[in-house]
Amino acid sequence: MSPLTRGSEVGPADGSSPTRERDSRMSGLGRLLVAIYGILALAATVRSLYQILSRFNEAPVAYLLSGLAGAVYIVATIALIRQGPWWRRVAGAAILFELLGVLVVGTLSITLGDLFPHDTVWSVYGRGYGFIPLLLPIAGLVWLWRSDPTRVRSEPIGSEPIRSEPIRSEAAGSSEAEK
């Protein structure tokens, strides 16, 4: 198999998780993504717990949203590590929720700043975390899509597609049609 077509196999039809999915999801960019999600999960959760326990009355909405963000990051991290179609869907749902949260809270924190007297993880699109909360779900969704073992991949230009059935010759097909 050439390097250009590597990873073009499709997983089993029964929905089981091929080893290839685990390998592609937990190598290179996949490992980096999981590590960043894990760090963000830890940072957001610890920060929100401290804020909720020590000064909840100052900004309850902001601190609860930070706690929610931490929980979403924990779910996304676990789902990205686990294998199988169900975990892939959980990861996709968590990451989509995260993206929506960043966009909604980020926009509200700019337009209605009085709602958020203190910053949340998602305030101003994650400014307090170097905008990682805005960029990470986009990277996560792209990575999930690209590493999906059931996704149909196009072959490199000029190569023959991989066929699962033998190719019949024109002559064999026409002689059977005449019978």
Side-chain angles (χ1 to χ4, degrees), residues 27-176:
S27 63
L29 181 60
R31 283 187 184 178
L32 177 63
L33 209 55
V34 168
I36 294 171
Y37 264 103
I39 291 167
L40 205 53
L42 182 65
T45 303
V46 169
R47 175 185 173 182
S48 69
L49 284 175
Y50 170 76
Q51 291 170 327
I52 288 169
L53 293 174
S54 65
R55 31 188 198 163
F56 181 73
N57 60 343
E58 293 176 21
V61 173
Y63 299 153
L64 288 174
L65 280 172
S66 286
L68 176 63
V72 169
Y73 291 131
I74 289 170
V75 170
T77 303
I78 292 168
L80 288 170
I81 292 170
R82 302 296 305 235
Q83 63 184 29
W86 189 81
W87 284 107
R88 180 175 285 281
R89 286 190 294 275
V90 170
I95 293 171
L96 275 173
F97 183 86
E98 172 197 357
L99 180 59
L100 287 172
V102 171
L103 294 175
V104 169
V105 173
T107 302
L108 289 175
S109 65
I110 291 171
T111 58
L112 302 171
D114 295 342
L115 287 177
F116 305 98
H118 295 197
D119 280 349
T120 73
V121 174
W122 294 336
S123 291
V124 193
Y125 307 110
R127 178 179 61 191
Y129 287 82
F131 298 100
I132 291 173
L134 177 62
L135 301 174
L136 193 59
I138 296 167
L141 290 171
V142 168
W143 178 67
L144 277 175
W145 178 74
R146 289 187 52 101
S147 69
D148 184 356
T150 62
R151 182 172 64 94
V152 177
R153 292 167 177 82
S154 61
E155 296 300 317
I157 297 173
S159 71
E160 287 293 318
I162 299 173
R163 298 180 190 268
S164 59
E165 298 178 19
I167 301 172
R168 293 185 187 169
S169 67
E170 294 284 330
S174 62
S175 63
E176 287 187 26

Side-chain angles (χ1 to χ4, degrees), residues 3-27:
L4 293 175
T5 60
R6 184 178 57 208
S8 62
E9 294 86 22
V10 176
D14 65 1
S16 64
S17 299
T19 305
R20 182 162 211 68
E21 177 187 1
R22 178 83 172 165
D23 294 344
S24 68
R25 289 179 61 197
M26 291 308 297
S27 63

